[in-house]
Amino acid sequence: MKKQILLLLIAMALVHCINAQSIVGTWKTISNMVINTDGSKTDITALQFKQWPCMADLHTVFDANGKQYMKSAKKCGSLDYSTLAASSWKMNGKTISIANTTMPTPLENTATYTVDFAKNKAIFTHEYSAEEKAKLHTPKVKKVVITYQRV
């Protein structure tokens, strides 16, 4: 009986490891939802696609060496995403930190998200602290939820 329980536990651990997903790979942003404290939402990606339809071809790559960069088949609007410097990323459990030292933002150089996987999607969520809201001058913003689809 003990042997069967041990084998069952080992099998469950193996299934968990096999089902674990990795952020490494090429992804397409399908939504970038800004959610406010009043529940209102704005999908930044939808607005960008209306302005620059070529952004639908933009991909985000998380490589196995800890680099994150954008690539597109062609120049999109006034920006050639393939010329942007790569960021670095590090994942610890469900938390990913993405550091970009070439384009600092009001929130410094590192963005941290909780990552959940659902089939072929990676869902990045960042809840803004009071300090971050003050730096961004956006007291109504609650969180951002970015959904990527594996390419």
Side-chain angles (χ1 to χ4, degrees), residues 9 12 56-57 67 88 98 120 128 146 148 151:
L9 290 173
M12 288 171 53
D57 298 328
K67 295 293 179 194
S88 61
I98 302 170
N120 66 338
Y128 288 96
I146 304 168
Y148 293 102
V151 177

Side-chain angles (χ1 to χ4, degrees), residues 23 73 131:
I23 196 64
E131 181 183 353

Side-chain angles (χ1 to χ4, degrees), residues 7 103-104 109 117:
L7 286 173
M103 292 179 19
N109 297 331
F117 292 98

Side-chain angles (χ1 to χ4, degrees), residues 30-75:
I30 57 174
S31 72
N32 185 346
M33 195 71 64
V34 175
I35 302 168
N36 294 313
T37 54
D38 65 2
S40 62
K41 301 174 184 179
T42 303
D43 186 354
I44 303 300
T45 300
L47 297 174
Q48 290 172 324
F49 284 1
K50 282 182 185 176
Q51 182 71 27
W52 302 285
C54 54
M55 286 194 73
D57 298 328
L58 185 64
H59 294 134
T60 300
V61 178
F62 291 90
D63 76 16
N65 296 322
K67 295 293 179 194
Q68 181 256 331
Y69 57 92
M70 312 287 256
K71 71 176 186 177
S72 61
K74 57 186 176 274
K75 187 175 177 179

